Amino acid sequence: MKLKNISFLIVVILVAVGCFRPPEFPDEPEIAFNNIVFVPGEGEFEGSLILSVDFQDGDGDVGLSGADDNFPYHPFDIIIDSNDDTVFFRDGIREFDGKDRQAVPPFTRLSPDGTRTPFSETDDRTGFFTCVEYQFLIADVTEFVNVNGVLQERTRSLVIDTFRTVANENHNNFYVQFKRKVNGQFIDFDTKTVGSSTLCGEDFDGRFPIFDQRNFEDGNAIAGTIDYDMFSLGSRLIFRNDTFRIDVRIRDRALNGSNEISTPEFTLESITRE
């Protein structure tokens, strides 16, 4: 199964707590804007938009590791039909199981813990593939290849179908909403739709890691600065000379949400650091 790739890095600068009484913060994380810069890359259009955010958290339960993919941090929920069958992108015969199966509404959202939530009373699929609605079903296939007259066994992975899913917001803990200024008003700007009719553009929501494992296990208060590096091969094409701001929020491991903050308005040129 191929999951979504995140095209950015995360660097953390931690304000360490020394041998004194730790500060007292609320258990819910709190953030404040620190800085934003754009660092051009080697390519003509690529570069990194680095957003720095100050944070604090009273019980230190912030950060997700790459191994945190189980409930409630799983990547997505699956969509099943009224027969409890997975809803696939295409109907009819599927070569991997040989069954002729049609999706029968109503559809239900199924989480890994077994929770079921009504999703759709009708089959609302448009017939168009979008990355935000489907995941790939991949199987390993063994085949024999003629190499200089000798048959050699080879195994490769093939995409055999795609199944309907809904992204789990709790899979990430750092959320950015780009806003573009149009006629004096800031409106949502979805980077997933830029240059993509299948919503397969770049998604800049992601994760920052656990900063200090011992501090995390002890449940101590923590504060610091997150330098969030959003790298894109097409930054200059996406943002051009338009004016933007970014709305930001984070979430801790207990799924407590922080306050939402906004960057000052900017253009890439105004924040470029050579």
Side-chain angles (χ1 to χ4, degrees), residues 130-243:
T130 65
C131 288
V132 297
E133 294 180 322
Y134 292 96
Q135 295 289 328
F136 294 119
L137 182 62
I138 297 177
D140 290 333
V141 177
T142 300
E143 58 187 3
F144 291 90
V145 181
N146 189 332
V147 179
N148 298 325
V150 179
L151 288 180
Q152 295 186 5
E153 184 176 321
R154 183 178 68 179
T155 300
R156 62 186 179 122
S157 296
L158 294 177
V159 176
I160 57 178
D161 215 325
T162 51
F163 58 99
R164 185 75 181 270
T165 61
V166 178
N168 174 31
E169 187 181 49
N170 299 328
H171 181 64
N172 296 317
N173 61 4
F174 196 102
Y175 309 93
V176 294
Q177 175 61 64
F178 286 85
K179 300 272 191 175
R180 182 169 62 179
K181 196 172 188 178
V182 179
N183 296 325
Q185 301 292 323
F186 282 98
I187 61 174
D188 287 352
F189 181 80
D190 189 355
T191 57
K192 295 187 295 295
T193 65
V194 178
S196 172
S197 60
T198 58
L199 301 181
C200 295
E202 295 184 278
D203 183 358
F204 291 114
D205 289 344
R207 292 182 169 191
F208 59 87
I210 296 173
F211 306 136
D212 181 276
Q213 188 65 36
R214 182 173 180 179
N215 188 87
F216 166 72
E217 293 173 356
D218 291 342
N220 293 328
I222 197 170
T225 301
I226 303 170
D227 288 342
Y228 196 69
D229 186 347
M230 295 174 280
F231 173 79
S232 172
L233 291 172
S235 294
R236 293 188 183 276
L237 291 176
I238 294 174
F239 303 111
R240 300 177 294 180
N241 296 319
D242 292 338
T243 298

